[in-house]
Amino acid sequence: MADKFRLTLAQLNPVVGDLAGNIAQARAAHAAGARDNADMVALPEMFATGYQTTDLGRKPAFVSDVIARVEALAAELTDGPALGIGAPYLEGTDLYNAYWILDGGRVAAVVKKQMLPNDSVFDEHRVYTPAEPQGPVSIRGWRVGIPICEDAWHVGPTETLEESGAEMLFVPNGSPYHRAKHERRMSHMVSRVVESGLPLVYLNMIGGQDDQIFDGTSFVLNPGGALAVLMPAFDACIQTVEFAREAQGVRCTSDEKVTLPSDYALDYRAMVESVRDYFAKTGFKKALLGMSGGVDSALTATIAADALGSENVRCVMLPSEYTSPHSLEDAEACANALGCHYDYVPISGPRTAVTETLAPLFAGTEPGLTEENIQSRLRGVLLMALSNKFGEMLLTTGNKSEVAVGYATIYGDMSGGYNPLKDLYKMRVFETCRWRNANHDPAWMKGNAGEVIPVRIIDKPPSAELREDQKDEDSLPPYEVLDDILERLIEGEQSVADCVAAGHEFETVKRIENLLYIAEYKRFQSAPGTRLTTRAFWLDRRYPIANRWRSA
């Protein structure tokens, strides 16, 4: 029996539904592991299909196709290391989220997931059947316990594996990013290691899938919980680690640990990679956005430039008579600093036409919010026309604070295909701009280095500029107050009383709570956007549109 076990970890980016492409990646990873004299090459959870498939995974033709491809791959791989790959497994009428072990030209084993997550962005009970407890599998003379993703967050599955003779734990994952997720994963996995006394390998995928972004950050823990290996966040990486049987038990003898960046850096990377992958996986190559001279559009343009390259981003200023000279200057300065294409398209002509058309119907009424929203909707029409004409996806630019309280115009500035700032509160927008001006990594940022967002954009009072001397604080509390209330109501699920106890005025909290609930219909129709928290608007927070309940 061999005293060493070499495991090649393939932290890669699958594409949902690209079965041929995902299998090709698996084949290439297997070849890399063979060159490195690995005993096994491992890919993440559901790698063959991409993750998450949601209801695509319930389609019989899709399931049959992927199973046939995995079986064909097994027959092809007659030599070299064993290959572990996540894929569905059908047993009668029961469909499982499974992990296949391919070795020696055959399917050597299939491990089935037991604990199906059914919260936050997950709804696996809708697609898969929960499996019964299982023991370890034998791979090249080593007994490897394979708890799949959620299985390792619970005591039962790993306890069963340890009691039935596992020498090590290998956890294949499709674990999406949110802020501080690495610390949470590490805490749970250390618990499993301490409970079992076994080393643990945590392999996660990378890449964006709709609103979710997978960050990799795979790692290996030795008995006692000591970190032996930490792989990079968000980078595709194939790395071989080695285990040895020692007098005290099995240990990872590899020692290679990266240093993870700050939360601001990780959030920014998540937004960049989600835009990059959303475009790549939906077939778009170029982006455009309305460039207002404000902080949100400036940050969105910067993210787009870093994701796609400045030459693939069009910034469009659509001024009205309420657009300040500073905004005109700042929008152009930011676009130039980024190296993006800049267009100037005044909305005065279309606005005059709409005003004259509606004049007979609006006679006797006072101008107000309707007229403000017409400006926003005209901008949406013009931007969508450019999108259609040139095949450029329109990015929306609303931050989480505005999306939460409906401070955005449906069919106006909410128009577009993707919103990288959707889960980023306004105060973090300001800080992220400052962070990006001070930081540049050419390994994954395609945009220019330096102060690409003029400081005046960051420092000036936010305004929609839809009427004379308008400021956001005319309609909303200061953003530091608004964001704290929203984080309590949304992330904390706190009551009005809780917010008041934290020092906020009752009337302010009640108004914000009401705005949050009545804007649900807008969010229901809004573009998807990068998930950065555990209460992102879409799958994380599912509230009824018609809802009369309010906190006391």
Side-chain angles (χ1 to χ4, degrees), residues 129-142:
T129 300
E132 296 297 320
Q134 298 148 90
V137 298
S138 179
I139 303 173
R140 304 296 168 94
W142 285 64

Side-chain angles (χ1 to χ4, degrees), residues 74-395:
E76 176 187 334
L77 301 180
T78 56
D79 299 314
L83 178 73
I85 184 169
Y89 179 73
L90 191 62
E91 195 172 75
T93 59
D94 292 330
L95 182 67
Y96 295 95
N97 177 332
Y99 199 75
W100 299 55
I101 306 299
L102 316 180
D103 198 8
R106 66 188 181 91
V107 177
V110 177
V111 177
K112 294 168 283 190
K113 190 172 183 178
Q114 302 169 51
M115 316 298 279
L116 302 180
N118 201 45
D119 57 357
S120 69
V121 297
F122 298 103
D123 196 4
E124 289 204 346
H125 276 286
R126 183 177 173 87
V127 183
Y128 305 112
T129 300
E132 296 297 320
Q134 298 148 90
V137 298
S138 179
I139 303 173
R140 304 296 168 94
W142 285 64
R143 291 181 63 77
V144 182
I146 306 179
I148 301 172
C149 198
E150 184 77 9
D151 291 346
W153 289 61
H154 301 268
V155 174
T158 52
E159 185 177 65
T160 298
L161 290 167
E162 184 268 328
E163 290 175 350
S164 53
E167 296 177 275
M168 58 186 292
L169 300 171
F170 167 69
V171 187
N173 292 271
S175 179
Y177 172 82
H178 64 69
R179 197 174 302 134
K181 183 70 171 285
H182 176 68
E183 291 80 2
R184 189 176 176 206
R185 292 176 187 141
M186 188 69 72
S187 175
H188 280 273
M189 295 309 109
V190 167
S191 295
R192 300 294 87 80
V193 168
V194 170
E195 292 157 3
S196 67
L198 301 176
L200 180 147
V201 180
Y202 185 101
L203 175 64
N204 194 25
M205 65 178 60
I206 63 163
Q209 176 57 36
D210 298 342
D211 68 319
Q212 295 163 49
I213 178 75
F214 299 89
D215 59 307
T217 323
S218 305
F219 57 87
V220 180
L221 297 173
N222 264 324
L227 181 65
V229 174
L230 178 59
M231 294 168 70
F234 297 107
D235 289 337
C237 185
I238 297 178
Q239 183 173 333
T240 300
V241 299
E242 188 169 280
F243 293 84
R245 290 189 177 106
E246 300 178 350
Q248 299 83 6
V250 172
R251 295 183 64 82
C252 177
T253 57
S254 302
D255 183 5
E256 189 172 346
K257 298 181 279 288
V258 302
T259 300
L260 293 182
S262 69
D263 281 348
Y264 278 102
L266 290 170
D267 274 7
Y268 188 78
R269 180 82 187 265
M271 290 184 286
V272 168
E273 297 298 340
S274 69
V275 169
R276 192 179 350 250
D277 260 13
Y278 193 74
F279 274 67
K281 293 179 180 182
T282 57
F284 283 85
K285 294 180 172 60
K286 295 179 180 289
L288 81 152
L289 66 142
M291 194 72 160
S292 68
V295 68
D296 298 315
S297 62
L299 182 57
T300 302
T302 307
I303 290 167
D306 282 337
L308 307 172
S310 303
E311 69 279 8
N312 294 314
V313 180
R314 180 196 300 262
C315 300
V316 187
M317 163 55 85
L318 301 113
S320 73
E321 70 269 30
Y322 303 120
T323 304
S324 69
H326 280 180
S327 293
L328 294 172
E329 295 166 7
D330 293 343
E332 187 169 9
C334 185
N336 289 340
L338 290 168
C340 299
H341 182 86
Y342 180 76
D343 284 319
Y344 179 85
V345 183
I347 65 169
S348 53
R351 187 176 174 213
T352 298
V354 170
T355 300
E356 291 176 352
T357 301
L358 292 173
L361 300 176
F362 284 9
T365 66
E366 291 296 320
L369 185 60
T370 300
E371 284 72 18
E372 293 180 24
N373 287 342
I374 286 172
Q375 297 172 62
S376 180
R377 291 191 174 112
L378 283 171
R379 290 179 173 123
V381 167
L382 295 171
L383 289 167
M384 283 306 303
L386 291 169
S387 174
N388 292 159
K389 178 61 71 174
F390 299 109
E392 301 165 349
M393 183 186 289
L394 175 60
L395 295 175

